[in-house]
């Protein structure tokens, strides 16, 4: 059942394809060159058809041998140009082949026509004189007559302008001489050889030439005469027709009808193929300048872009170099400090070892005890220094990934760590009312605050009611966090060096001078900066810093509950 | 010849190092007086007789200053510069006594007219020997223009 249906579908498909093939065959029919099989074309009348079909010999068609690009014979003897393209279409329409007869000149064509020894001439201007032996089809091509000059002569010209040109030549078209005379150009001479005349024009031996645009452009291109230009139109076109022997009126009407089957598209295609108006020089074309302008614009843009990029890069390099230089200086200073500070206790230990030996020799137990204390203290100091150094180096390395953490959480952690010291000194601590979110390693941030609080407590001086104010303020788009105390304050001379490693201003206060160095390091690893201000000794101190990524507003996970004034005493 | 008591001002923040200098001083130059301050500000206060040094006789003019470079707050170089820029203090010889052997420190110290630059040796004998030489050169030879016996024996 199914296979029957399949066969039927296949049959339909094959039938359809066959029909298509058949159709294609019908359309291709007349091209086969067998008019008898299909009959003469139906646009002809019965008489015309009969006349055409009873010709004993092919119709003789005679081109003008030297009328490029309308028609000419190339070096291999092939008939080429506009006329043969039309003739090919006519042959196709009529389903016949003409016999091409090559004569030596157009004059010969006219001579043979008078003697009725040819049937069709291809590019003939219709004149009363020629109607004695020719019947003309309607013109199939119209070619303007133009004024051609060298390119150095500017402006548009009309025929009348040629009066002031000393040497004018015109191509021997039928009526041009008369037209020139009508406009007062009486000194113009006719051209016998268009190629030679154009060469003379190009070389400056002739000042202007009037002639058929097709011919002129053909020779100008062939001779590569690039310095010529069309300066004006004569307002007078050559119209060319097919001419057939006047004793065969049917032939003329057949030709006329065949010509009528050629479409406008076909005519335009032929014309475009053979008559190429010398294109304007590239610099005369608007597109060229637009293109050039665009190109220059794009180039300038690219150059500007590159220059900008290069400038940015150079600035970046300069900035990075400066940063590296700064880091290098810091490192040098750091190494200097470290080596010095590590060497100090070593000097102590070694020297007191010498004293120790003497003490032993003298059996002086008391001195021995004292000298041992010096050694122990130096060793302890060295241990402390190394521990702090290790801590400082740890900050540089990213242990934990950065995350958002509410300031309150950090403060809670730090305050818990310094609770003992705060209580001992009875310090009042004020925490900020408005919540703020920090971005960083929470542990380090706690350490940062712990060190700042430590520092504040340590340098509280003899303040009877010690207070530490922890807060923040927005300034110039940055959130500045601050730790303000009302303690001993800072002498302005120390302010520059206060963040330096092992920089101790108060020998009587314990520690190795690393706390603020650690603070600075933490702030810097969090993309921030820190400054300190103080009105001077006794006036308290304010450490202000910002960290990258700090933002106001409550944290999503810990809504604003951190708005209290806390006393940790 | 009457021996004048000379005053040496030691500016040293490390108490252990100060103790070493003090012991050496006691051994080699007991007839002279050693004053000790532990930071740059105190050193300047002493020299200019300010603050706790304002009382008459509290700060005898030093005949020699032993100056550490790394001091808390105002550093040794600043003290040195201040002294040498003051015509009344410039004649006081200043001997730098520090742990740093860094070239930049040496250059800066001499550039600021330090009279001598001595590096604290990390060795007992060397330290003692250095202090002895220092004492002979700066306290005996320069001030009395006589060669003491000790110098002769030490010179060998």
């Amino acid at each position: 059942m199914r296979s029957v249906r399949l066969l039927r579908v296949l049959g339909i498909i094959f039938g359809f394809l066959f029909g298509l093939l058949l159709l294609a065959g019908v359309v291709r029919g007349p091209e086969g060159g067998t008019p008898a099989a299909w009959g003469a074309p139906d646009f002809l009348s019965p008489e015309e058809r009969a006349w055409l079909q009873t010709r004993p010999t092919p119709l003789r068609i005679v081109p003008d041998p030297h009328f490029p690009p309308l028609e000419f014979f190339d070096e291999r003897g092939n008939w080429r140009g506009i006329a043969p393209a039309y003739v090919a279409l006519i042959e196709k329409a009529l389903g016949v082949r003409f016999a091409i007869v090559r004569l030596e000149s157009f004059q010969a064509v006219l001579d043979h026509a008078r003697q009725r020894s040819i049937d069709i001439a291809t590019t003939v201007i219709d004149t009363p004189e020629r109607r004695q032996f020719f019947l003309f089809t309607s013109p199939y091509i119209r070619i303007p007559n133009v004024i051609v000059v060298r390119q150095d002569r500017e402006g548009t010209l009309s025929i009348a302008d040629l009066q002031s040109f000393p040497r004018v030549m015109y191509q021997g078209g039928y009526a041009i001489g008369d037209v020139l005379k009508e406009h007062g150009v009486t000194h113009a001479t006719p051209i016998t050889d268009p190629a030679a005349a154009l060469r003379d024009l190009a070389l400056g031996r002739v000042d202007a030439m009037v002639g058929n645009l097709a011919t002129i452009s053909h020779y100008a291109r062939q001779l590569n005469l690039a310095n010529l230009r069309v300066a004006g139109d004569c307002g007078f076109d050559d119209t060319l027709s097919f001419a057939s022997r006047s004793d065969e009126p049917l032939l003329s009407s057949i030709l006329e009808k065949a010509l009528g089957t050629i479409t406008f598209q076909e005519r335009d295609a032929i014309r475009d193929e053979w008559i190429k108006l010398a294109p304007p020089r590239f610099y005369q074309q608007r597109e060229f300048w637009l293109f050039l302008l665009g190109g220059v614009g794009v180039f300038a843009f690219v150059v500007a872009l590159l220059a900008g990029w290069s400038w940015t890069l150079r600035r970046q390099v300069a900035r990075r170099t400066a940063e590296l230089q700064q880091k290098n200086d810091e490192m040098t200073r750091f190494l200097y400090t470290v080596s010095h500070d590590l060497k100090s206790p070593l000097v102590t230990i070694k020297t007191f070892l010498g004293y120790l030996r003497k003490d032993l020799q003298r059996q002086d137990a008391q001195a021995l005890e004292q000298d041992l204390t010096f050694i122990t203290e130096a060793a302890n100091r060295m241990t402390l220094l190394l521990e702090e150094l290790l801590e400082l180096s740890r900050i540089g390395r990213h242990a934990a990934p950065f995350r958002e953490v509410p300031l309150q959480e950090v403060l809670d952690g730090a305050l818990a760590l310094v609770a003992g010291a705060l209580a001992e000194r009875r310090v009042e601590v004020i925490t900020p009312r408005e919540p703020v979110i920090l971005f960083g390693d929470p542990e380090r941030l706690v350490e940062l605050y712990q060190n700042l609080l430590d520092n504040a407590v340590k340098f509280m001086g003899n303040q009877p009611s010690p207070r530490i104010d922890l807060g923040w303020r927005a300034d110039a788009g940055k959130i500045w966090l601050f730790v303000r105390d009302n303690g001993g304050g800072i002498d302005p001379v120390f302010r520059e060096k206060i963040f330096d490693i092992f920089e101790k201003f108060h020998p009587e206060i314990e520690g190795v001078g690393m706390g603020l160095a650690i603070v600075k390091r933490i702030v810097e690893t969090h993309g921030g900066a820190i400054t300190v201000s103080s009105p001077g000794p006794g006036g308290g101190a304010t450490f202000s810093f910002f960290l990258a990524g700090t933002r106001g507003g409550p944290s999503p996970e810990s809504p604003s509950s951190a708005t209290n004034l806390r006393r940790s005493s | 010849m009457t021996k004048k008591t000379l005053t040496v001002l030691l500016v040293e923040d490390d108490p252990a190092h100060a103790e070493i200098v003090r012991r050496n001083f006691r051994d080699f130059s007991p007839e002279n007086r050693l004053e000790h301050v532990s930071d740059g500000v105190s050193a300047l206060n002493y020299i200019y007789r300010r603050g706790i040094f304002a009382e008459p006789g509290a700060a005898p003019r030093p005949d020699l200053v032993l100056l550490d470079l790394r001091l808390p707050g105002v550093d040794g170089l600043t003290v040195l510069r201040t002294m040498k820029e003051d015509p009344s203090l410039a004649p006081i010889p200043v001997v730098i006594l520090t742990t740093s052997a860094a070239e930049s420190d040496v250059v800066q110290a001499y550039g600021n007219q330090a009279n001598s630059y001595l590096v604290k040796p990390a060795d007992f004998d060397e330290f003692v020997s250095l202090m002895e030489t220092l004492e002979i050169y700066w306290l005996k030879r320069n001030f009395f223009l006589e060669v003491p016996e000790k110098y002769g024996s030490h010179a060998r």
Side-chain angles (χ1 to χ4, degrees):
Chain A
M1 195 61 179
R2 189 177 286 170
S3 61
V4 172
R5 252 174 79 179
L6 188 71
L7 271 177
R8 198 176 298 159
V9 170
L10 277 177
I12 289 167
I13 291 170
F14 277 111
F16 183 72
L17 286 176
F18 187 68
L20 271 182
L21 278 173
L22 212 64
L23 265 173
V26 169
V27 170
R28 275 160 41 91
E31 274 178 64
T34 51
W38 301 95
D42 50 10
F43 58 81
L44 298 179
S45 66
E47 295 81 27
E48 289 163 346
R49 222 176 299 163
W51 183 86
L52 201 57
Q53 283 173 354
T54 53
R55 298 298 303 169
T57 55
L59 290 160
R60 288 158 298 176
I61 190 161
V62 197
D64 177 343
H66 309 294
F67 193 13
L70 287 143
E71 50 182 345
F72 59 97
F73 290 92
D74 67 16
E75 59 274 16
R76 280 180 297 191
N78 293 316
W79 181 35
R80 299 182 29 83
I82 292 172
Y86 272 85
V87 168
L89 292 172
I90 290 169
E91 285 182 323
K92 194 173 131 189
L94 296 177
V96 298
R97 300 291 289 204
F98 300 133
I100 298 158
V101 179
R102 181 176 179 174
L103 297 175
E104 67 276 14
S105 69
F106 185 63
Q107 195 53 50
V109 175
L110 293 178
D111 292 345
H112 278 81
R114 274 194 199 89
Q115 294 158 24
R116 313 259 185 238
S117 54
I118 59 170
D119 300 310
I120 304 166
T122 47
T123 51
V124 191
I125 297 173
D126 184 354
T127 69
E129 186 251 324
R130 292 173 184 166
R131 288 198 180 181
Q132 292 165 14
F133 49 92
F134 270 147
L135 288 170
F136 290 91
T137 64
S138 45
Y140 65 94
I141 189 153
R142 175 180 289 267
I143 296 165
N145 285 295
V146 293
I147 301 160
V148 180
V149 294
R150 279 182 303 282
Q151 263 170 356
D152 53 17
R153 199 179 286 278
E154 290 173 3
T156 309
L157 298 173
S158 68
I159 293 180
D161 296 328
L162 296 177
Q163 288 173 31
S164 62
F165 282 58
R167 294 156 296 183
V168 180
M169 297 196 84
Y170 66 93
Q171 195 195 349
Y174 177 74
I176 293 180
D178 296 340
V179 172
L180 286 169
K181 283 195 187 77
E182 275 169 36
H183 287 83
V185 185
T186 52
H187 61 296
T189 52
I191 291 165
T192 45
D193 181 351
L198 277 170
R199 202 179 292 118
D200 285 349
L201 177 64
L203 294 173
R205 289 196 283 256
V206 172
D207 302 302
M209 182 171 154
V210 178
N212 172 303
L213 174 63
T215 309
I216 287 174
S217 61
H218 174 86
Y219 282 114
R221 210 163 39 236
Q222 196 179 58
L223 299 172
N224 242 334
L225 302 177
N227 66 334
L228 302 180
R229 74 179 187 94
V230 173
D233 190 22
C234 292
F236 172 83
D237 297 349
D238 279 346
T239 53
L240 301 166
S241 304
F242 287 103
S244 56
R245 49 192 301 171
S246 54
D247 55 345
E248 293 282 14
L250 279 175
L251 176 55
S252 185
S253 66
I254 288 169
L255 283 176
E256 183 70 36
K257 285 179 177 171
L259 205 54
T261 65
I262 299 173
T263 64
F264 286 115
Q265 286 93 324
E266 286 168 325
R267 287 169 192 251
D268 286 347
I270 294 168
R271 192 189 162 95
D272 290 349
E273 189 188 345
W274 288 101
I275 302 180
K276 291 186 182 93
L277 291 175
R281 311 289 301 175
F282 64 87
Y283 51 80
Q284 291 170 333
Q285 289 182 352
R286 205 180 140 76
E287 288 80 4
F288 168 76
W289 289 106
L290 283 176
F291 194 74
L292 192 71
L293 213 69
V296 167
V298 168
F299 182 72
F301 179 72
V302 168
V303 165
L305 216 69
L306 285 175
W309 189 40
S310 143
W311 182 74
T312 313
L313 283 179
R314 232 177 300 143
R315 260 177 50 128
Q316 241 173 45
V317 167
R319 205 183 57 230
R320 299 257 164 93
T321 307
E323 276 174 19
L324 280 178
Q325 186 61 50
Q326 197 196 334
K327 285 260 181 291
N328 192 43
D329 291 350
E330 263 174 34
M331 182 58 87
T332 309
R333 223 165 43 235
F334 175 80
L335 282 175
Y336 165 79
T337 310
V338 168
S339 58
H340 180 278
D341 280 62
L342 286 177
K343 200 178 160 194
S344 251
L346 204 65
V347 168
T348 305
I349 291 168
K350 286 198 138 187
T351 309
F352 276 95
L353 281 174
Y355 283 123
L356 218 58
R357 199 172 293 120
K358 289 200 158 188
D359 295 339
L360 283 172
Q361 284 165 6
R362 284 204 313 264
Q363 299 284 326
D364 186 341
Q366 196 190 343
L368 192 134
E369 189 62 42
Q370 192 193 4
D371 293 347
L372 271 176
T373 309
F374 275 112
I375 291 172
T376 311
E377 273 175 10
N380 285 347
R381 184 171 166 75
M382 217 162 178
T383 311
L384 199 60
L385 282 171
L386 288 171
E387 276 172 0
E388 296 275 305
L389 267 181
L390 206 63
E391 179 56 29
L392 194 65
S393 80
R394 229 180 257 133
I395 295 164
R397 279 171 274 142
H398 257 212
F402 280 15
R403 66 172 175 86
E404 290 209 316
V405 49
L407 174 61
Q408 193 57 48
E409 210 177 294
V410 173
L411 294 183
D412 288 346
L415 287 168
L417 286 171
V418 294
L422 290 171
E424 193 184 313
R425 194 69 183 75
R426 300 189 160 276
V427 181
E428 176 190 355
V429 177
I430 299 167
T431 52
R433 288 170 191 284
E434 301 296 327
V436 69
I437 314 295
L438 308 181
F439 182 70
D441 176 351
E443 221 174 288
R444 293 282 172 241
L445 294 173
V446 167
E447 195 179 351
L448 162 63
Y449 269 100
Q450 180 198 346
N451 273 293
L452 284 172
L453 287 166
D454 251 345
N455 185 73
V457 174
K458 229 182 251 177
F459 298 98
M460 213 30 109
N462 44 16
Q463 171 63 246
S465 52
R467 196 181 72 238
I468 297 173
D469 190 359
L470 302 170
W472 62 274
R473 70 194 150 78
D475 184 25
K478 275 198 186 99
I479 288 180
W480 286 86
L481 301 141
F482 61 82
V483 176
R484 183 184 298 136
D485 66 62
N486 60 351
I490 301 159
D491 193 313
V493 265
F494 303 154
R495 211 161 55 207
E496 263 176 59
K497 300 200 292 181
I498 197 165
F499 296 108
D500 283 2
I501 177 181
F502 300 142
E503 199 63 62
K504 278 187 63 186
F505 302 127
H506 303 275
E508 68 280 6
I509 288 173
E510 63 179 43
V512 293
M514 190 77 95
L516 292 180
I518 289 174
V519 162
K520 184 173 183 240
R521 192 80 192 266
I522 293 173
V523 168
E524 281 171 357
T525 56
H526 284 71
I530 184 162
T531 66
V532 64
S533 63
S534 170
T542 307
F543 286 85
S544 303
F545 59 98
F546 69 88
L547 306 171
T550 306
R551 63 175 176 86
S555 146
E557 64 258 34
S558 71
S560 152
S561 63
T563 53
N564 51 355
L565 191 141
R566 178 193 304 229
R567 274 163 197 273
S568 66
S569 53
Chain B
M1 184 177 271
T2 44
K3 281 198 173 181
K4 185 191 161 202
T5 300
L6 299 173
T7 302
V8 174
L9 175 63
L10 171 67
V11 188
E12 171 64 72
D13 68 322
D14 188 323
H17 291 189
E19 175 65 18
I20 298 168
V21 173
R22 201 177 292 122
R23 285 185 187 188
N24 277 286
F25 208 80
R26 200 177 55 207
D27 290 351
F28 297 120
S29 187
E31 69 279 17
N32 294 321
R33 178 171 173 177
L34 183 75
E35 295 288 340
H36 171 228
V37 291
S38 55
D39 62 84
V41 173
S42 304
L44 290 175
N45 283 346
Y46 180 99
I47 291 161
Y48 286 106
R49 297 192 172 117
R50 294 181 304 216
I52 59 164
F53 302 105
E55 281 173 48
R61 182 183 164 96
D63 298 294
L64 176 70
V65 176
L66 288 180
L67 183 62
D68 195 1
L69 283 183
R70 246 187 89 76
L71 295 169
V74 174
D75 63 15
L77 216 56
T78 309
V79 173
L80 172 65
R81 197 179 298 125
T82 310
M83 285 185 69
K84 292 301 178 183
E85 279 170 1
D86 186 333
S88 69
L89 299 175
I92 301 174
V94 177
V95 173
I96 304 297
L97 184 63
T98 178
T99 48
S100 167
E103 199 187 322
S104 62
D105 279 341
V106 179
V107 169
Q108 276 189 309
Y110 280 124
N112 283 287
Q113 301 170 50
N115 296 73
S116 187
Y117 189 103
L118 303 175
V119 178
K120 292 173 190 166
D123 180 275
F124 175 75
D125 290 334
E126 277 179 44
F127 210 128
V128 170
S129 165
L130 178 84
M131 292 309 293
E132 191 180 3
T133 313
L134 188 136
E135 196 267 339
I136 292 164
Y137 185 81
W138 288 104
L139 298 182
K140 297 220 161 73
R141 189 167 171 242
N142 274 16
F143 287 93
F144 301 105
L145 299 173
E146 64 175 30
V147 180
E149 291 161 52
K150 224 168 216 171
Y151 180 77
S153 66
H154 184 76
R156 266 184 272 257

